[in-house]
Amino acid sequence: MSLLNQRHPQEIPFLGVQPYQTMLSGNLTINDAVVEIIDLLVEVPAGFAQCPPHLHTWYELNYVFEGHMQTSFGGSMMDIHAGEFFLIPPGMEHAHAYEPNDPHKGACLRWRVDHGTAHMPVNTFSTYEQLNVLSRWKPGVYADEFGLGMLLTSCFENAKQKGTSFATLLQVVQAIFSITELSPERKRWTETETNSDHSLLRKVEIYLNDDQSYDVDVHRLAASLHMSYGHLARKYKKLSGQTIIDRMGQIRLERSLELLRSTDQPIQEIAYITGLSSLSYYSRLFKKMYGMSPKEYRDKGKEKE
């Protein structure tokens, strides 16, 4: 999650590009894998102190060229210094902290990997499987001992000259492949793994609180956690005592309480804003949860005032 600071639009001297300017994006098919490069950009978070806990459905590589930043993966903050990097696979909760007045300078690369349509002969090397190894990446900080920084710098230089060309995309994928061959023993610091059940509940909670749409895409949520929806639904119900859909309804009702208390917006509009499909469904769900209608709740609040 990157934020553009308008006070620092100047180019980064060693890369010759502006902060948060997307240098390239595009798709590349290699054997049985389709790699989507979402973006490659320079990150200089001047003026910002933190990025709150969140997760996403793509891979994100962060490399620090100058200065330092901090990152956590659901636990304590880790320091990342110049010449170090970390990788965030899909579904991994993380947060960042910055020095607002002395920000680090780094590179951020985001990508997705999907199965291609090509039929591979039996016992043939699978590009998809090699790239998908990164989905099991453990939280930690890596020292750049094999030239990843130079590879990324070269990608920036080629992107400036050629834009989103096949050669440039292939070079970016080469950088991704190089990470798959990195030995886990090279980690400088590894985040202590939290209880897996607690971590799962936390990730689902973040996803549901971020989702503002009418229909929760539970299959997308399950995919981001590398689980089938059936397995996720059963595990979540066992751990929390309620279904994912019930929890989503509860979150939306809680949002509506604040709007009923603090605004004079029509109740039908509140149902729409909070992502509930209709006024009748909202009223029925509200009464089931709180024992009264939204109007009765609002009127009671006004009587107290």
Side-chain angles (χ1 to χ4, degrees):
M1 182 180 292
S2 300
L3 299 170
L4 173 61
N5 179 18
Q6 298 294 337
R7 294 185 300 139
H8 292 263
Q10 72 275 12
E11 293 184 347
I12 306 303
F14 61 93
L15 292 176
V17 298
Q18 292 183 3
Y20 302 105
Q21 173 188 350
T22 296
M23 298 304 297
L24 80 160
S25 60
N27 295 343
L28 197 64
T29 300
I30 307 174
N31 297 330
D32 62 341
V34 177
V35 184
E36 177 191 359
I37 305 300
I38 299 172
D39 56 17
L40 172 65
L41 49 80
V42 171
E43 185 176 64
V44 186
F48 296 99
Q50 62 180 343
C51 181
H54 62 286
L55 49 84
H56 36 60
T57 58
W58 55 79
Y59 292 93
E60 183 172 301
L61 170 72
N62 288 264
Y63 189 101
V64 175
F65 285 108
E66 295 182 7
H68 77 281
M69 64 175 291
Q70 291 186 313
T71 291
S72 75
F73 300 96
S76 56
M77 282 286 181
M78 301 177 290
D79 286 315
I80 298 95
H81 301 281
E84 296 180 334
F85 67 94
F86 58 92
L87 174 69
I88 304 162
M92 179 179 287
E93 179 191 343
H94 56 286
H96 308 304
Y98 313 114
E99 293 289 341
N101 300 318
D102 185 23
H104 74 281
K105 296 180 176 67
C108 179
L109 171 62
R110 301 184 182 100
W111 73 93
R112 288 192 181 101
V113 180
D114 291 312
H115 260 303
T117 57
H119 295 288
M120 303 292 291
V122 179
N123 298 326
T124 302
F125 172 79
S126 170
T127 302
Y128 174 81
E129 291 301 329
Q130 181 175 353
L131 292 173
N132 199 48
V133 164
L134 297 178
S135 68
R136 299 183 290 276
W137 187 272
K138 299 296 184 183
V141 181
Y142 281 78
D144 183 11
E145 300 174 353
F146 62 100
L148 178 60
M150 293 178 63
L151 263 176
L152 291 172
T153 302
S154 180
C155 290
F156 278 108
E157 291 172 349
N158 284 337
K160 282 191 299 178
Q161 296 173 8
K162 305 173 186 176
T164 303
S165 66
F166 176 83
T168 309
L169 288 174
L170 194 58
Q171 187 178 36
V172 173
V173 175
Q174 179 188 355
I176 297 171
F177 269 113
S178 68
I179 301 169
T180 67
E181 298 172 356
L182 184 62
S183 169
E185 284 72 28
R186 294 190 182 185
K187 286 181 184 176
R188 176 178 64 78
W189 196 94
T190 303
E191 173 68 41
T192 301
E193 291 190 42
T194 55
N195 179 277
S196 59
D197 291 343
H198 172 77
S199 178
L200 176 67
L201 290 174
R202 173 70 174 157
K203 289 172 183 177
V204 172
E205 192 72 9
I206 290 174
Y207 184 94
L208 295 181
N209 275 280
D210 284 346
D211 195 307
Q212 304 290 327
S213 59
Y214 289 132
D215 298 317
V216 183
D217 192 341
V218 290
H219 294 283
R220 186 178 180 85
L221 167 60
S224 73
L225 298 173
H226 305 287
M227 303 170 71
S228 70
Y229 173 62
H231 179 61
L232 173 61
R234 288 190 296 272
K235 191 171 183 64
Y236 184 84
K237 179 72 180 292
K238 180 180 178 181
L239 293 173
S240 68
Q242 61 184 153
T243 68
I244 293 175
I245 300 300
D246 286 344
R247 177 56 186 148
M248 182 75 259
Q250 185 179 358
I251 289 171
R252 291 177 174 181
L253 286 175
E254 289 168 358
R255 290 175 188 161
S256 77
L257 291 178
E258 177 61 27
L259 293 173
L260 289 169
R261 285 194 300 262
S262 61
T263 74
D264 292 322
Q265 289 175 295
I267 293 175
Q268 185 169 356
E269 189 175 324
I270 289 175
Y272 176 81
I273 291 171
T274 52
L276 295 157
S277 56
S278 68
L279 177 58
S280 60
Y281 174 68
Y282 170 50
S283 299
R284 188 167 64 252
L285 201 62
F286 194 98
K287 191 163 188 176
K288 181 181 178 182
M289 178 70 71
Y290 301 112
M292 65 183 79
S293 70
K295 184 178 184 305
E296 289 171 332
Y297 178 85
R298 173 175 271 176
D299 291 343
K300 273 195 164 188
K302 288 180 178 178
E303 287 175 8
K304 288 181 181 179
E305 290 177 2

